[in-house]
Amino acid sequence: MNGNVEVVVIGGGYGGVTAANSLARRDGVSVTVVNPRPEFVERIRLHQRVTGSDDAIEGFGRVMGANVRLVVDTATRIDAAERQVSLAGGGTVSYDYLVYAVGSGATDPGVPGAAEFAYWVSDLERAERLRSALDAAPASAPVTVVGAGPTGLETSAELAEAGREVTLVCGDVLGPSLHARVRRPVARRLAKLGVTVLEGPGAQVTEVTSDAVQLGDGRELPSAVTIWTAGFRVPDLAARSGLRTDAAGRLVTDTTLTCVDDERIVAAGDAGVMPDHPFRMSCQAAVQLGPAAAATILRRIAGKTPAPVRMFFAGQCLSLGRNEGVTQFSYPNDKVNALSISGRTGAGVKEIACRFTLNKLVSGARKASSRASHGNSTDRPDSPQSEHRTTPSSTRPAA
Ligand SMILES: Cc1cc2nc3c(=O)[nH]c(=O)nc-3n(C[C@H](O)[C@H](O)[C@H](O)COP(=O)(O)OP(=O)(O)OC[C@H]3O[C@@H](n4cnc5c(N)ncnc54)[C@H](O)[C@@H]3O)c2cc1C
């Protein structure tokens, strides 16, 4: 392919930003990121936003290369035949290659009353709504957290440490993704924080009302604020655009992250799935998948065959409040083992992991920006530093 190549990245989360920074390092490649808000959301800290121990926000100017154009808007449709993305603001952006990185978020679990009365911690807006609901409730009001996966565990502990009366309804077991031996220090920490843990087959929420939750075994628990953390779903943009998705709404790809319906569309992060090699929706995966998606596109641009993606997992880090945590180690294929670090050191490892992740984005941004400052870039006036809204034209770039 001769001339400048336009790559559009839909979604400025961990997957989208790492893909954009990797692509923006290459001469002859212009990168545009479409994201609904002008800041980067550190999703892995959203439970901290709820209690106020972190705002979970970073400027795109810090994490994304100065030569990446940011369009603050929401993609509403992908026209694969025309290679064009429609935006909620009314404009369109054209592309030669597209990175699909819309992430994941809350899903209506289909439990009566949940959509109406429950709160979520899955994205910035919902975390803010939850925070307002907690602020409006008395400190002694009962709070129910539904789901004992990593998000449910971290949210329960964070709120209990902040003085809330928390009941954690596990659905089945506490920490289903953890090794049985690693569940013990997690359970001990929750008990120390005063969290009431309900486990077993009856511990499933079957109905949510404004002031209670109903359990499968007939019990009713008073609940002033009910927080639903079980299950994430990917936005339906790909499905709405006629592209193949799985049951969770993820774009179906091959092992090079390429959409099975269109080789110019490549997925990164929670929003894609390789059906034969599914991976856990996680930040840990997203920061590997972003650069891998970029590599697939760069190889295609160079006329080479893309290589299958290789993933490496180290474990799961859980913060259980600000003072303690548990790190669950895993084999490189993400299968957990019995090794863990808990207590203050566990909390320290989690904090290091969060900072390391952010630093990875910052250093990717620096590398991309250094291409711009060496005069090789296709610099545009509307860089993320200016964080202003752009109105993209509907002209098609030269491929
Ligand atoms: C409270 C909490 C704690 C977590 N802790 C951990 C952890 O400790 N470790 C870990 O590995 N994972 C953790 N996760 C999961 C992790 O945050 C996600 O797996 C990760 O954010 C996925 O990255 P992503 O880039 O795919 O998506 P996201 O980070 O969700 O980014 C997607 C972006 O796309 C944007 N977008 C969506 N739709 C559109 C559209 N139509 N047009 C334009 N833009 C769009 C979104 O607004 C968002 O900015 C946690 C999640 C939560 C909620």
Side-chain angles (χ1 to χ4, degrees), residues 94-329:
S94 298
Y95 62 84
D96 296 309
Y97 289 94
L98 183 75
V99 178
Y100 188 74
V102 295
S104 61
T107 177
D108 177 359
V111 169
E116 195 180 350
F117 297 114
Y119 293 86
W120 276 263
V121 70
S122 54
D123 56 64
L124 187 72
E125 288 71 21
R126 286 184 176 86
E128 270 302 291
R129 233 173 284 151
L130 167 58
R131 186 177 171 160
S132 304
L134 288 164
D135 286 349
S140 59
V143 174
T144 306
V145 175
V146 185
T151 307
L153 297 173
E154 291 194 315
T155 305
S156 304
E158 200 79 23
L159 291 173
E161 197 183 60
R164 295 286 175 172
E165 297 290 325
V166 181
T167 298
L168 174 62
V169 182
C170 297
D172 189 7
V173 290
L174 179 83
S177 64
L178 303 176
H179 189 279
R181 267 172 60 181
V182 181
R183 287 181 197 138
R184 286 181 218 151
V186 174
R188 273 198 300 275
R189 171 65 178 155
L190 292 177
K192 195 167 144 194
L193 288 168
V195 176
T196 304
V197 176
L198 302 182
E199 285 188 272
Q204 285 190 343
V205 172
T206 53
E207 188 176 352
V208 183
T209 61
S210 61
D211 59 0
V213 294
Q214 198 75 44
L215 301 189
D217 58 11
R219 276 179 290 177
E220 184 178 278
L221 308 177
S223 181
V225 180
T226 301
I227 306 166
W228 205 279
T229 68
F232 283 144
R233 198 185 157 78
V234 167
D236 65 355
L237 176 62
R240 262 190 288 128
S241 305
L243 301 167
R244 250 175 290 176
T245 55
D246 72 352
R250 294 178 291 186
L251 181 75
V252 177
T253 73
D254 65 14
T255 55
T256 70
L257 305 176
T258 305
C259 167
V260 291
D261 295 313
D262 189 312
E263 74 165 31
R264 289 192 178 246
I265 302 176
V266 178
D270 288 356
V273 65
M274 300 179 280
D276 296 335
H277 308 274
F279 46 80
R280 185 165 49 92
M281 284 188 195
S282 63
C283 170
Q284 200 177 150
V287 295
Q288 298 181 65
L289 291 164
T296 287
I297 290 173
L298 293 173
R299 284 187 74 90
R300 282 229 165 80
I301 292 171
K304 296 180 183 161
T305 306
V309 62
R310 285 179 179 214
M311 303 286 284
F312 175 85
F313 291 88
Q316 301 171 35
C317 303
L318 301 176
S319 62
L320 297 173
R322 290 303 85 212
N323 300 315
E324 291 192 27
V326 170
T327 301
Q328 157 76 77
F329 289 99

Side-chain angles (χ1 to χ4, degrees), residues 11 13-15 34-37 43-44 75 102-103 269-270 282-284 350:
Y14 298 96
V34 180
N35 194 65
R37 64 187 72 75
R43 257 185 96 191
I44 60 174
V102 295
D270 288 356
S282 63
C283 170
Q284 200 177 150
K350 170 72 190 213

